[in-house]
Structures are given as structure tokens and as C-alpha cells.
Amino acid sequence: MTLMSVSPRPARRFDRGPVVLGIDPGTASTGFGLVERRGSTLVSRGGGVISTRAEEPMERRLAAISSCLGELIAEHRPAALAVEDIFFGRNVRTAFAVGQARGAVLATAGAGGIPCFAYTPQAVKLAVCGSGRAGKDQVQRMVAALLGLGDPPASDHAADALALAICHANQMPLRAEASALGARIPNT
Amino acid sequence: MTLMSVSPRPARRFDRGPVVLGIDPGTASTGFGLVERRGSTLVSRGGGVISTRAEEPMERRLAAISSCLGELIAEHRPAALAVEDIFFGRNVRTAFAVGQARGAVLATAGAGGIPCFAYTPQAVKLAVCGSGRAGKDQVQRMVAALLGLGDPPASDHAADALALAICHANQMPLRAEASALGARIPNT
């Protein structure tokens, strides 16, 4: 199992804002991205990929993903975790595999008391690119631009995870306002 | 979250044989069944259902399943965990939901160092009833007969989990023999 970090930035603990952890679950590669909200600005706290080897038994691969995620949660104490919503266009085999990885991720977040929020791919693209039909390249470029990264994330999975984190971080003020008014935006 | 036990038997620690934990994963109801192999005899060590409430967020439901399973593993130290193989006949929505629960289960087993084995529903029915086409009722009656239970398990999920555990417990001598000869029967 490897944990590859891209463009992390040192945290300035004294003025730390809420952090969102975006996760793009997959058995072979689980992308992660940490985005901190400082007032109206979003700052990358790093991102990368948790990789597991196909030769390993499935239970060990999922335990490795859970363990790495547990470390990220312990270190960064995210206020929320954002994942992709269930995408029913995929075939049964893919749905099952993604479901397994997502189950390991959500169980770990739940054990750590981190609330989880799901967004459709269209909602994420709309939040990041201004269009629900944007391509992979455009998402990667916009993630870099919005977070002030020198280069787009090298990994698709990390870029998708950062985009998910941006999408939720953008909604935080709206959710806080709704909550103050006694309303609630559903998590999923 | 509730953990409902059916027909547990006190363990006689001094002559304890290997225990197999069968799991029938589901978000609302996860069946579990513990079967101990004592020589050529199979003995029930109990079974039941881990239930979670639909009103709870998914991450908490999966964390509760993982936590209950962790307790079962810590208490009974199973030599193996048996789950149903991926069943691709189901629709995408079901595959995703079952996949999520299965992912939480496998990650927990992996973290506890418990090897996992998957069996198709047909293989389980064949092992328990002598026919791959047996119905639910027949499985429940045969589980009770094979384990010497007074009554069939009240829950379908617990019965399916016990059937999975019986199926793997039956294969243990064959797997041990294959392993001694340097061969290996694949886990899934």
C-alpha cells in the first residue's frame, strides 16, 4: 500500500479553518484531497492516492484503505467527508466494486465521527467548472486554479477527490445558514 | 443498533476447535453465524442479526456493523470469515448497497487479520442441502439439523450466515490437505 501526496501545504494551526476531506473510492486507487476553508478562500492541504496491490486479498486491501484514511482523519480532523454519489449508470460489477471501497471508507469516517456528504459527478463539475458536462482535463485545471496549485494534480483520483472537497467546502456557508434557520440540506 | 443472538452454546475452551464466522452483509440487517469444527462434527456457537436504523446516516450504520463485527471477532477469534460471493444477477442499486456493507465487513476482518472466503449461493446450498437449488425454508431446516439446533434460526439472515459458515467449515480439511501438498484453493 502506498500513500502518494501531491502538493501539500503546511497547515498554519493558529488560524485554521474547517477542513473537508474529499474521497474518490476505489479498490486499487482511492483518491483523497484536503481543502481548508479560510473565510471566502479555499486552500489545499494536500491530496494523493491510496494504492493497493491486486495480488493482496480483498480484505487486506480494504483494511489498508481504512487504515490510511484513519491516519488522514486523525492528522487533519476534517469537519466533513465528501464522496461521489451513487452513480447508477455503471454496470453491476463496477457498482459492487466501488460499493465495497465506499463501504470501507464510510465505516471508517463513521467510526471517527466525521459526517459524510455525497454529491453527483454533475454537481461536482458544476461547482468546480461552472458546467455539469466538463471533461476530466477541465476539472484538473480548475482544481489547480481554484486552490492556487502550481500544476494540476498528477492523478485523476486526487483531482476528483479535491474537486469533491471544493464542492462541499463551497456549500458550507449555505448549510450553516440553513442550519441556523432550523432547516437541513440532506447529506445524500 | 441491535445484536440479536439465536441459540448460542457455551464454548468449552479446553477442547475448542477452529471457528468459522459466516456473514450475510446488508445495511439494514447483517446476519452472522458462528460454527465450530470439532473433529468431524460441526457445533453452533451462536448467530443472529446486526440491525441498523434507516434514519441513521449511512456512515454511522456501517460503523455500527463494523463495530459489532469487531466485537464478535475479538470474542470468538474465528479462523476464517465466509461471505457470499458477488452475485451479478442483482440490479445495480442492490449490488452497490450490498457492496457497501460487504466492504465494511471485509475491511474489519482484514484489520483483525481474519482471512475471508467467498462462496456462491449455489455452493452454499449444495453444501448444506445437497442441492444448489434448495429453497430458503430447506436451508433453514438443514442448518438446524446439521448443527443440532432445537428450532431453525428465526432470521433468514442468521440462517444464511450459519449456512455460509457450515459451507466453509466443511471445506477446511480439504483446504488443509491441499495446503500440505503445496496447492492452494483460491479464496474467492
Side-chain angles (χ1 to χ4, degrees), chain A residues 58-59 62-63 66 86 88 90-93 95-96 98-100 102-104 106-107 110-111 114-116 187, chain B residues 58-59 62-63 66 86 88 90-93 95-96 98-100 102-104 106-107 110-111 114-116 187:
Chain A
M58 184 56 75
E59 65 271 21
L62 294 171
S66 170
I86 302 165
F88 288 116
R90 298 189 195 181
N91 69 45
V92 180
R93 213 171 270 266
F96 194 87
V98 173
Q100 281 205 151
R102 197 180 193 260
L106 293 186
I114 314 297
C116 297
N187 290 18
Chain B
M58 185 55 75
E59 64 272 20
L62 294 171
S66 170
I86 301 164
F88 288 118
R90 298 188 196 182
N91 69 43
V92 179
R93 214 172 270 266
F96 193 87
V98 174
Q100 281 205 151
R102 196 178 193 261
L106 293 185
I114 315 296
C116 296
N187 291 18

mmCIF file of all heavy atoms in Angstrom, chain A residues 58-59 62-63 66 86 88 90-93 95-96 98-100 102-104 106-107 110-111 114-116 187, chain B residues 58-59 62-63 66 86 88 90-93 95-96 98-100 102-104 106-107 110-111 114-116 187:
data_model
loop_
_atom_site.group_PDB
_atom_site.id
_atom_site.type_symbol
_atom_site.label_atom_id
_atom_site.label_comp_id
_atom_site.label_asym_id
_atom_site.label_seq_id
_atom_site.Cartn_x
_atom_site.Cartn_y
_atom_site.Cartn_z
ATOM 1 N N MET A 58 -8.707 -9.254 -0.878
ATOM 2 C CA MET A 58 -9.580 -8.074 -0.811
ATOM 3 C C MET A 58 -9.699 -7.509 0.605
ATOM 4 O O MET A 58 -9.685 -6.289 0.792
ATOM 5 C CB MET A 58 -10.967 -8.439 -1.358
ATOM 6 C CG MET A 58 -11.936 -7.286 -1.445
ATOM 7 S SD MET A 58 -11.327 -5.896 -2.428
ATOM 8 C CE MET A 58 -11.509 -6.561 -4.083
ATOM 9 N N GLU A 59 -9.798 -8.390 1.620
ATOM 10 C CA GLU A 59 -9.973 -7.890 2.989
ATOM 11 C C GLU A 59 -8.767 -7.072 3.444
ATOM 12 O O GLU A 59 -8.898 -6.087 4.163
ATOM 13 C CB GLU A 59 -10.279 -9.031 3.978
ATOM 14 C CG GLU A 59 -9.183 -10.064 4.196
ATOM 15 C CD GLU A 59 -9.249 -11.234 3.226
ATOM 16 O OE1 GLU A 59 -9.877 -11.080 2.149
ATOM 17 O OE2 GLU A 59 -8.669 -12.300 3.528
ATOM 18 N N LEU A 62 -8.882 -3.585 1.561
ATOM 19 C CA LEU A 62 -9.874 -2.674 2.153
ATOM 20 C C LEU A 62 -9.432 -2.213 3.542
ATOM 21 O O LEU A 62 -9.648 -1.056 3.920
ATOM 22 C CB LEU A 62 -11.246 -3.354 2.212
ATOM 23 C CG LEU A 62 -11.881 -3.658 0.842
ATOM 24 C CD1 LEU A 62 -13.122 -4.526 0.999
ATOM 25 C CD2 LEU A 62 -12.231 -2.378 0.090
ATOM 26 N N ALA A 63 -8.780 -3.122 4.291
ATOM 27 C CA ALA A 63 -8.268 -2.732 5.620
ATOM 28 C C ALA A 63 -7.173 -1.680 5.474
ATOM 29 O O ALA A 63 -7.072 -0.763 6.296
ATOM 30 C CB ALA A 63 -7.743 -3.953 6.361
ATOM 31 N N SER A 66 -8.814 1.638 4.762
ATOM 32 C CA SER A 66 -9.408 2.109 6.017
ATOM 33 C C SER A 66 -8.340 2.654 6.964
ATOM 34 O O SER A 66 -8.519 3.701 7.597
ATOM 35 C CB SER A 66 -10.171 0.939 6.656
ATOM 36 O OG SER A 66 -10.556 1.257 7.956
ATOM 37 N N ILE A 86 -23.889 7.787 -5.432
ATOM 38 C CA ILE A 86 -24.079 6.529 -6.141
ATOM 39 C C ILE A 86 -24.401 6.836 -7.605
ATOM 40 O O ILE A 86 -25.310 7.617 -7.885
ATOM 41 C CB ILE A 86 -25.250 5.760 -5.481
ATOM 42 C CG1 ILE A 86 -24.918 5.526 -4.004
ATOM 43 C CG2 ILE A 86 -25.540 4.481 -6.206
ATOM 44 C CD1 ILE A 86 -26.104 5.112 -3.158
ATOM 45 N N PHE A 88 -25.683 5.260 -10.840
ATOM 46 C CA PHE A 88 -26.330 4.024 -11.262
ATOM 47 C C PHE A 88 -26.196 3.732 -12.755
ATOM 48 O O PHE A 88 -26.748 2.755 -13.235
ATOM 49 C CB PHE A 88 -27.790 4.018 -10.820
ATOM 50 C CG PHE A 88 -27.912 3.838 -9.343
ATOM 51 C CD1 PHE A 88 -28.459 4.821 -8.545
ATOM 52 C CD2 PHE A 88 -27.438 2.686 -8.745
ATOM 53 C CE1 PHE A 88 -28.547 4.652 -7.179
ATOM 54 C CE2 PHE A 88 -27.518 2.515 -7.379
ATOM 55 C CZ PHE A 88 -28.074 3.503 -6.590
ATOM 56 N N ARG A 90 -23.413 2.935 -14.076
ATOM 57 C CA ARG A 90 -22.351 1.933 -14.239
ATOM 58 C C ARG A 90 -22.915 0.518 -14.251
ATOM 59 O O ARG A 90 -24.035 0.290 -13.849
ATOM 60 C CB ARG A 90 -21.353 2.044 -13.088
ATOM 61 C CG ARG A 90 -20.678 3.398 -13.085
ATOM 62 C CD ARG A 90 -19.542 3.413 -12.096
ATOM 63 N NE ARG A 90 -19.157 4.805 -11.850
ATOM 64 C CZ ARG A 90 -18.188 5.158 -11.042
ATOM 65 N NH1 ARG A 90 -17.489 4.247 -10.399
ATOM 66 N NH2 ARG A 90 -17.887 6.432 -10.866
ATOM 67 N N ASN A 91 -22.097 -0.445 -14.653
ATOM 68 C CA ASN A 91 -22.579 -1.819 -14.653
ATOM 69 C C ASN A 91 -22.509 -2.415 -13.252
ATOM 70 O O ASN A 91 -21.912 -1.841 -12.341
ATOM 71 C CB ASN A 91 -21.822 -2.667 -15.686
ATOM 72 C CG ASN A 91 -20.381 -2.912 -15.302
ATOM 73 O OD1 ASN A 91 -20.079 -3.231 -14.157
ATOM 74 N ND2 ASN A 91 -19.487 -2.770 -16.254
ATOM 75 N N VAL A 92 -23.128 -3.575 -13.078
ATOM 76 C CA VAL A 92 -23.282 -4.195 -11.760
ATOM 77 C C VAL A 92 -21.928 -4.512 -11.129
ATOM 78 O O VAL A 92 -21.705 -4.293 -9.942
ATOM 79 C CB VAL A 92 -24.146 -5.468 -11.875
ATOM 80 C CG1 VAL A 92 -24.319 -6.133 -10.513
ATOM 81 C CG2 VAL A 92 -25.513 -5.130 -12.427
ATOM 82 N N ARG A 93 -21.010 -5.027 -11.947
ATOM 83 C CA ARG A 93 -19.684 -5.403 -11.444
ATOM 84 C C ARG A 93 -18.950 -4.179 -10.871
ATOM 85 O O ARG A 93 -18.401 -4.224 -9.778
ATOM 86 C CB ARG A 93 -18.873 -5.992 -12.606
ATOM 87 C CG ARG A 93 -17.905 -7.077 -12.240
ATOM 88 C CD ARG A 93 -17.338 -7.707 -13.512
ATOM 89 N NE ARG A 93 -18.155 -8.822 -13.953
ATOM 90 C CZ ARG A 93 -17.910 -10.095 -13.618
ATOM 91 N NH1 ARG A 93 -16.888 -10.396 -12.856
ATOM 92 N NH2 ARG A 93 -18.683 -11.059 -14.055
ATOM 93 N N ALA A 95 -20.352 -1.298 -9.931
ATOM 94 C CA ALA A 95 -21.123 -0.778 -8.790
ATOM 95 C C ALA A 95 -20.750 -1.543 -7.522
ATOM 96 O O ALA A 95 -20.567 -0.952 -6.453
ATOM 97 C CB ALA A 95 -22.613 -0.896 -9.056
ATOM 98 N N PHE A 96 -20.601 -2.856 -7.643
ATOM 99 C CA PHE A 96 -20.268 -3.681 -6.487
ATOM 100 C C PHE A 96 -18.868 -3.348 -5.966
ATOM 101 O O PHE A 96 -18.663 -3.168 -4.767
ATOM 102 C CB PHE A 96 -20.354 -5.162 -6.864
ATOM 103 C CG PHE A 96 -20.348 -6.062 -5.675
ATOM 104 C CD1 PHE A 96 -21.523 -6.387 -5.033
ATOM 105 C CD2 PHE A 96 -19.159 -6.578 -5.189
ATOM 106 C CE1 PHE A 96 -21.530 -7.211 -3.923
ATOM 107 C CE2 PHE A 96 -19.144 -7.405 -4.078
ATOM 108 C CZ PHE A 96 -20.334 -7.724 -3.440
ATOM 109 N N VAL A 98 -16.994 -0.567 -6.493
ATOM 110 C CA VAL A 98 -16.949 0.793 -5.932
ATOM 111 C C VAL A 98 -17.689 0.817 -4.598
ATOM 112 O O VAL A 98 -17.235 1.442 -3.632
ATOM 113 C CB VAL A 98 -17.557 1.834 -6.917
ATOM 114 C CG1 VAL A 98 -17.653 3.209 -6.269
ATOM 115 C CG2 VAL A 98 -16.727 1.923 -8.182
ATOM 116 N N GLY A 99 -18.808 0.094 -4.535
ATOM 117 C CA GLY A 99 -19.580 -0.005 -3.297
ATOM 118 C C GLY A 99 -18.739 -0.556 -2.159
ATOM 119 O O GLY A 99 -18.785 -0.033 -1.043
ATOM 120 N N GLN A 100 -17.964 -1.592 -2.430
ATOM 121 C CA GLN A 100 -17.120 -2.188 -1.380
ATOM 122 C C GLN A 100 -16.115 -1.172 -0.833
ATOM 123 O O GLN A 100 -15.967 -1.025 0.381
ATOM 124 C CB GLN A 100 -16.362 -3.406 -1.916
ATOM 125 C CG GLN A 100 -17.199 -4.636 -2.002
ATOM 126 C CD GLN A 100 -16.393 -5.935 -1.944
ATOM 127 O OE1 GLN A 100 -16.901 -6.929 -1.489
ATOM 128 N NE2 GLN A 100 -15.170 -5.947 -2.409
ATOM 129 N N ARG A 102 -16.276 2.083 -1.076
ATOM 130 C CA ARG A 102 -17.023 3.181 -0.439
ATOM 131 C C ARG A 102 -17.503 2.774 0.951
ATOM 132 O O ARG A 102 -17.514 3.571 1.883
ATOM 133 C CB ARG A 102 -18.206 3.553 -1.318
ATOM 134 C CG ARG A 102 -18.838 4.901 -1.042
ATOM 135 C CD ARG A 102 -19.982 5.074 -2.020
ATOM 136 N NE ARG A 102 -20.517 6.409 -2.096
ATOM 137 C CZ ARG A 102 -21.630 6.789 -1.481
ATOM 138 N NH1 ARG A 102 -22.265 5.955 -0.702
ATOM 139 N NH2 ARG A 102 -22.088 8.011 -1.658
ATOM 140 N N GLY A 103 -17.895 1.496 1.103
ATOM 141 C CA GLY A 103 -18.343 0.993 2.401
ATOM 142 C C GLY A 103 -17.226 1.042 3.432
ATOM 143 O O GLY A 103 -17.444 1.453 4.585
ATOM 144 N N ALA A 104 -16.014 0.646 3.016
ATOM 145 C CA ALA A 104 -14.860 0.698 3.926
ATOM 146 C C ALA A 104 -14.571 2.140 4.327
ATOM 147 O O ALA A 104 -14.277 2.433 5.492
ATOM 148 C CB ALA A 104 -13.637 0.061 3.259
ATOM 149 N N LEU A 106 -16.749 4.827 4.297
ATOM 150 C CA LEU A 106 -17.812 5.403 5.136
ATOM 151 C C LEU A 106 -17.778 4.831 6.555
ATOM 152 O O LEU A 106 -17.979 5.559 7.528
ATOM 153 C CB LEU A 106 -19.193 5.173 4.504
ATOM 154 C CG LEU A 106 -19.488 5.905 3.189
ATOM 155 C CD1 LEU A 106 -20.938 5.700 2.773
ATOM 156 C CD2 LEU A 106 -19.192 7.406 3.294
ATOM 157 N N ALA A 107 -17.514 3.522 6.675
ATOM 158 C CA ALA A 107 -17.444 2.912 8.015
ATOM 159 C C ALA A 107 -16.322 3.560 8.829
ATOM 160 O O ALA A 107 -16.481 3.817 10.028
ATOM 161 C CB ALA A 107 -17.222 1.405 7.903
ATOM 162 N N GLY A 110 -17.444 7.074 9.780
ATOM 163 C CA GLY A 110 -18.468 6.957 10.822
ATOM 164 C C GLY A 110 -17.850 6.648 12.175
ATOM 165 O O GLY A 110 -18.250 7.214 13.199
ATOM 166 N N ALA A 111 -16.868 5.758 12.180
ATOM 167 C CA ALA A 111 -16.195 5.391 13.438
ATOM 168 C C ALA A 111 -15.459 6.599 14.019
ATOM 169 O O ALA A 111 -15.335 6.730 15.239
ATOM 170 C CB ALA A 111 -15.228 4.239 13.198
ATOM 171 N N ILE A 114 -17.026 11.485 11.710
ATOM 172 C CA ILE A 114 -16.985 12.503 10.640
ATOM 173 C C ILE A 114 -18.247 12.379 9.781
ATOM 174 O O ILE A 114 -18.463 11.339 9.149
ATOM 175 C CB ILE A 114 -15.740 12.304 9.714
ATOM 176 C CG1 ILE A 114 -14.458 12.071 10.521
ATOM 177 C CG2 ILE A 114 -15.599 13.467 8.738
ATOM 178 C CD1 ILE A 114 -14.034 13.194 11.396
ATOM 179 N N PRO A 115 -19.085 13.423 9.701
ATOM 180 C CA PRO A 115 -20.275 13.334 8.855
ATOM 181 C C PRO A 115 -19.910 13.279 7.371
ATOM 182 O O PRO A 115 -18.963 13.945 6.937
ATOM 183 C CB PRO A 115 -21.051 14.622 9.174
ATOM 184 C CG PRO A 115 -20.050 15.556 9.755
ATOM 185 C CD PRO A 115 -18.992 14.715 10.407
ATOM 186 N N CYS A 116 -20.650 12.474 6.609
ATOM 187 C CA CYS A 116 -20.339 12.282 5.185
ATOM 188 C C CYS A 116 -21.420 12.896 4.301
ATOM 189 O O CYS A 116 -22.598 12.847 4.650
ATOM 190 C CB CYS A 116 -20.211 10.788 4.881
ATOM 191 S SG CYS A 116 -18.844 10.022 5.771
ATOM 192 N N ASN A 187 -27.871 15.096 3.447
ATOM 193 C CA ASN A 187 -26.472 14.727 3.216
ATOM 194 C C ASN A 187 -26.263 14.052 1.858
ATOM 195 O O ASN A 187 -25.214 14.174 1.260
ATOM 196 C CB ASN A 187 -25.984 13.752 4.288
ATOM 197 C CG ASN A 187 -25.851 14.405 5.644
ATOM 198 O OD1 ASN A 187 -26.419 15.465 5.862
ATOM 199 N ND2 ASN A 187 -25.096 13.792 6.531
ATOM 200 N N MET B 58 -25.688 6.867 6.695
ATOM 201 C CA MET B 58 -25.043 5.637 6.225
ATOM 202 C C MET B 58 -23.703 5.369 6.914
ATOM 203 O O MET B 58 -23.394 4.226 7.268
ATOM 204 C CB MET B 58 -24.853 5.720 4.705
ATOM 205 C CG MET B 58 -24.301 4.471 4.058
ATOM 206 S SD MET B 58 -25.273 2.982 4.415
ATOM 207 C CE MET B 58 -26.681 3.240 3.353
ATOM 208 N N GLU B 59 -22.885 6.430 7.123
ATOM 209 C CA GLU B 59 -21.564 6.206 7.725
ATOM 210 C C GLU B 59 -21.686 5.647 9.141
ATOM 211 O O GLU B 59 -20.875 4.825 9.561
ATOM 212 C CB GLU B 59 -20.699 7.479 7.695
ATOM 213 C CG GLU B 59 -21.193 8.662 8.513
ATOM 214 C CD GLU B 59 -22.141 9.580 7.761
ATOM 215 O OE1 GLU B 59 -22.720 9.137 6.747
ATOM 216 O OE2 GLU B 59 -22.315 10.743 8.193
ATOM 217 N N LEU B 62 -22.825 1.871 8.885
ATOM 218 C CA LEU B 62 -21.707 0.984 8.507
ATOM 219 C C LEU B 62 -20.691 0.884 9.648
ATOM 220 O O LEU B 62 -20.119 -0.185 9.881
ATOM 221 C CB LEU B 62 -21.044 1.487 7.216
ATOM 222 C CG LEU B 62 -21.938 1.419 5.964
ATOM 223 C CD1 LEU B 62 -21.280 2.137 4.792
ATOM 224 C CD2 LEU B 62 -22.243 -0.022 5.565
ATOM 225 N N ALA B 63 -20.480 1.992 10.355
ATOM 226 C CA ALA B 63 -19.559 1.959 11.508
ATOM 227 C C ALA B 63 -20.109 1.042 12.598
ATOM 228 O O ALA B 63 -19.343 0.333 13.264
ATOM 229 C CB ALA B 63 -19.343 3.374 12.047
ATOM 230 N N SER B 66 -19.481 -2.525 11.539
ATOM 231 C CA SER B 66 -18.050 -2.788 11.721
ATOM 232 C C SER B 66 -17.709 -2.982 13.206
ATOM 233 O O SER B 66 -16.948 -3.891 13.573
ATOM 234 C CB SER B 66 -17.261 -1.616 11.125
ATOM 235 O OG SER B 66 -15.919 -1.698 11.471
ATOM 236 N N ILE B 86 -19.866 -12.461 -4.885
ATOM 237 C CA ILE B 86 -20.519 -11.410 -5.651
ATOM 238 C C ILE B 86 -21.578 -12.050 -6.543
ATOM 239 O O ILE B 86 -21.287 -12.987 -7.277
ATOM 240 C CB ILE B 86 -19.457 -10.685 -6.508
ATOM 241 C CG1 ILE B 86 -18.378 -10.102 -5.593
ATOM 242 C CG2 ILE B 86 -20.075 -9.620 -7.373
ATOM 243 C CD1 ILE B 86 -17.107 -9.698 -6.306
ATOM 244 N N PHE B 88 -23.896 -11.349 -9.511
ATOM 245 C CA PHE B 88 -24.071 -10.329 -10.535
ATOM 246 C C PHE B 88 -25.453 -10.327 -11.191
ATOM 247 O O PHE B 88 -25.702 -9.555 -12.087
ATOM 248 C CB PHE B 88 -22.961 -10.441 -11.588
ATOM 249 C CG PHE B 88 -21.654 -9.989 -11.048
ATOM 250 C CD1 PHE B 88 -20.584 -10.849 -10.951
ATOM 251 C CD2 PHE B 88 -21.506 -8.686 -10.598
ATOM 252 C CE1 PHE B 88 -19.376 -10.413 -10.437
ATOM 253 C CE2 PHE B 88 -20.303 -8.253 -10.073
ATOM 254 C CZ PHE B 88 -19.232 -9.118 -9.993
ATOM 255 N N ARG B 90 -28.099 -9.499 -9.580
ATOM 256 C CA ARG B 90 -28.900 -8.431 -8.971
ATOM 257 C C ARG B 90 -28.797 -7.123 -9.759
ATOM 258 O O ARG B 90 -27.918 -6.967 -10.570
ATOM 259 C CB ARG B 90 -28.401 -8.178 -7.538
ATOM 260 C CG ARG B 90 -28.573 -9.406 -6.685
ATOM 261 C CD ARG B 90 -28.273 -9.081 -5.245
ATOM 262 N NE ARG B 90 -28.072 -10.324 -4.494
ATOM 263 C CZ ARG B 90 -27.831 -10.373 -3.198
ATOM 264 N NH1 ARG B 90 -27.729 -9.274 -2.509
ATOM 265 N NH2 ARG B 90 -27.660 -11.518 -2.589
ATOM 266 N N ASN B 91 -29.667 -6.195 -9.458
ATOM 267 C CA ASN B 91 -29.587 -4.906 -10.162
ATOM 268 C C ASN B 91 -28.492 -4.029 -9.550
ATOM 269 O O ASN B 91 -27.954 -4.334 -8.478
ATOM 270 C CB ASN B 91 -30.949 -4.209 -10.192
ATOM 271 C CG ASN B 91 -31.389 -3.728 -8.825
ATOM 272 O OD1 ASN B 91 -30.599 -3.173 -8.069
ATOM 273 N ND2 ASN B 91 -32.647 -3.944 -8.492
ATOM 274 N N VAL B 92 -28.177 -2.957 -10.244
ATOM 275 C CA VAL B 92 -27.040 -2.102 -9.875
ATOM 276 C C VAL B 92 -27.218 -1.500 -8.479
ATOM 277 O O VAL B 92 -26.290 -1.453 -7.695
ATOM 278 C CB VAL B 92 -26.847 -0.987 -10.929
ATOM 279 C CG1 VAL B 92 -25.689 -0.083 -10.561
ATOM 280 C CG2 VAL B 92 -26.605 -1.586 -12.288
ATOM 281 N N ARG B 93 -28.446 -1.064 -8.171
ATOM 282 C CA ARG B 93 -28.727 -0.429 -6.887
ATOM 283 C C ARG B 93 -28.454 -1.401 -5.730
ATOM 284 O O ARG B 93 -27.810 -1.063 -4.738
ATOM 285 C CB ARG B 93 -30.191 0.003 -6.859
ATOM 286 C CG ARG B 93 -30.472 1.260 -6.093
ATOM 287 C CD ARG B 93 -31.927 1.683 -6.323
ATOM 288 N NE ARG B 93 -32.036 2.565 -7.474
ATOM 289 C CZ ARG B 93 -32.016 3.896 -7.379
ATOM 290 N NH1 ARG B 93 -31.877 4.467 -6.207
ATOM 291 N NH2 ARG B 93 -32.106 4.657 -8.446
ATOM 292 N N ALA B 95 -26.603 -4.179 -5.897
ATOM 293 C CA ALA B 95 -25.181 -4.536 -5.906
ATOM 294 C C ALA B 95 -24.372 -3.489 -5.147
ATOM 295 O O ALA B 95 -23.475 -3.826 -4.361
ATOM 296 C CB ALA B 95 -24.669 -4.648 -7.343
ATOM 297 N N PHE B 96 -24.719 -2.211 -5.357
ATOM 298 C CA PHE B 96 -23.987 -1.132 -4.692
ATOM 299 C C PHE B 96 -24.210 -1.177 -3.176
ATOM 300 O O PHE B 96 -23.259 -1.076 -2.395
ATOM 301 C CB PHE B 96 -24.440 0.215 -5.254
ATOM 302 C CG PHE B 96 -23.543 1.340 -4.872
ATOM 303 C CD1 PHE B 96 -22.430 1.646 -5.639
ATOM 304 C CD2 PHE B 96 -23.784 2.089 -3.735
ATOM 305 C CE1 PHE B 96 -21.581 2.674 -5.281
ATOM 306 C CE2 PHE B 96 -22.947 3.119 -3.363
ATOM 307 C CZ PHE B 96 -21.842 3.410 -4.141
ATOM 308 N N VAL B 98 -25.265 -3.757 -1.239
ATOM 309 C CA VAL B 98 -24.642 -4.952 -0.656
ATOM 310 C C VAL B 98 -23.121 -4.779 -0.651
ATOM 311 O O VAL B 98 -22.445 -5.126 0.315
ATOM 312 C CB VAL B 98 -25.046 -6.237 -1.418
ATOM 313 C CG1 VAL B 98 -24.277 -7.447 -0.913
ATOM 314 C CG2 VAL B 98 -26.540 -6.487 -1.292
ATOM 315 N N GLY B 99 -22.597 -4.199 -1.728
ATOM 316 C CA GLY B 99 -21.156 -3.944 -1.825
ATOM 317 C C GLY B 99 -20.670 -3.067 -0.685
ATOM 318 O O GLY B 99 -19.628 -3.346 -0.084
ATOM 319 N N GLN B 100 -21.435 -2.020 -0.364
ATOM 320 C CA GLN B 100 -21.033 -1.119 0.742
ATOM 321 C C GLN B 100 -20.944 -1.864 2.069
ATOM 322 O O GLN B 100 -19.965 -1.734 2.796
ATOM 323 C CB GLN B 100 -22.023 0.037 0.872
ATOM 324 C CG GLN B 100 -21.808 1.120 -0.134
ATOM 325 C CD GLN B 100 -22.332 2.479 0.300
ATOM 326 O OE1 GLN B 100 -21.804 3.491 -0.116
ATOM 327 N NE2 GLN B 100 -23.339 2.532 1.112
ATOM 328 N N ARG B 102 -20.671 -5.107 2.507
ATOM 329 C CA ARG B 102 -19.617 -6.125 2.389
ATOM 330 C C ARG B 102 -18.233 -5.483 2.554
ATOM 331 O O ARG B 102 -17.327 -6.067 3.150
ATOM 332 C CB ARG B 102 -19.734 -6.805 1.029
ATOM 333 C CG ARG B 102 -18.983 -8.126 0.890
ATOM 334 C CD ARG B 102 -19.266 -8.650 -0.509
ATOM 335 N NE ARG B 102 -18.886 -10.026 -0.714
ATOM 336 C CZ ARG B 102 -17.758 -10.400 -1.304
ATOM 337 N NH1 ARG B 102 -16.885 -9.498 -1.695
ATOM 338 N NH2 ARG B 102 -17.508 -11.678 -1.508
ATOM 339 N N GLY B 103 -18.068 -4.265 2.024
ATOM 340 C CA GLY B 103 -16.789 -3.558 2.147
ATOM 341 C C GLY B 103 -16.452 -3.259 3.598
ATOM 342 O O GLY B 103 -15.312 -3.437 4.036
ATOM 343 N N ALA B 104 -17.473 -2.809 4.349
ATOM 344 C CA ALA B 104 -17.260 -2.521 5.779
ATOM 345 C C ALA B 104 -16.890 -3.809 6.520
ATOM 346 O O ALA B 104 -16.007 -3.807 7.385
ATOM 347 C CB ALA B 104 -18.520 -1.903 6.375
ATOM 348 N N LEU B 106 -15.505 -6.681 5.199
ATOM 349 C CA LEU B 106 -14.184 -7.198 4.811
ATOM 350 C C LEU B 106 -13.052 -6.342 5.386
ATOM 351 O O LEU B 106 -12.026 -6.874 5.816
ATOM 352 C CB LEU B 106 -14.055 -7.283 3.278
ATOM 353 C CG LEU B 106 -14.951 -8.302 2.565
ATOM 354 C CD1 LEU B 106 -14.614 -8.364 1.075
ATOM 355 C CD2 LEU B 106 -14.820 -9.703 3.161
ATOM 356 N N ALA B 107 -13.237 -5.022 5.404
ATOM 357 C CA ALA B 107 -12.198 -4.141 5.966
ATOM 358 C C ALA B 107 -11.978 -4.457 7.448
ATOM 359 O O ALA B 107 -10.841 -4.473 7.929
ATOM 360 C CB ALA B 107 -12.592 -2.671 5.782
ATOM 361 N N GLY B 110 -10.194 -7.803 7.665
ATOM 362 C CA GLY B 110 -8.797 -7.600 7.251
ATOM 363 C C GLY B 110 -7.982 -6.944 8.351
ATOM 364 O O GLY B 110 -6.833 -7.331 8.607
ATOM 365 N N ALA B 111 -8.577 -5.950 9.021
ATOM 366 C CA ALA B 111 -7.873 -5.261 10.115
ATOM 367 C C ALA B 111 -7.610 -6.217 11.268
ATOM 368 O O ALA B 111 -6.616 -6.085 11.985
ATOM 369 C CB ALA B 111 -8.700 -4.063 10.589
ATOM 370 N N ILE B 114 -8.214 -11.651 9.857
ATOM 371 C CA ILE B 114 -9.035 -12.848 9.602
ATOM 372 C C ILE B 114 -9.151 -13.069 8.087
ATOM 373 O O ILE B 114 -9.704 -12.216 7.389
ATOM 374 C CB ILE B 114 -10.467 -12.688 10.186
ATOM 375 C CG1 ILE B 114 -10.453 -12.116 11.609
ATOM 376 C CG2 ILE B 114 -11.245 -14.004 10.107
ATOM 377 C CD1 ILE B 114 -9.789 -12.977 12.642
ATOM 378 N N PRO B 115 -8.658 -14.203 7.560
ATOM 379 C CA PRO B 115 -8.790 -14.434 6.121
ATOM 380 C C PRO B 115 -10.255 -14.649 5.721
ATOM 381 O O PRO B 115 -11.008 -15.268 6.471
ATOM 382 C CB PRO B 115 -7.967 -15.714 5.870
ATOM 383 C CG PRO B 115 -7.861 -16.376 7.200
ATOM 384 C CD PRO B 115 -7.953 -15.290 8.241
ATOM 385 N N CYS B 116 -10.630 -14.103 4.560
ATOM 386 C CA CYS B 116 -12.028 -14.174 4.117
ATOM 387 C C CYS B 116 -12.172 -15.091 2.904
ATOM 388 O O CYS B 116 -11.281 -15.134 2.045
ATOM 389 C CB CYS B 116 -12.535 -12.773 3.763
ATOM 390 S SG CYS B 116 -12.554 -11.676 5.193
ATOM 391 N N ASN B 187 -9.391 -18.218 -2.574
ATOM 392 C CA ASN B 187 -10.337 -17.724 -1.551
ATOM 393 C C ASN B 187 -11.683 -17.345 -2.143
ATOM 394 O O ASN B 187 -12.696 -17.460 -1.489
ATOM 395 C CB ASN B 187 -9.780 -16.473 -0.852
ATOM 396 C CG ASN B 187 -8.595 -16.803 0.021
ATOM 397 O OD1 ASN B 187 -7.993 -17.853 -0.129
ATOM 398 N ND2 ASN B 187 -8.283 -15.917 0.942
#
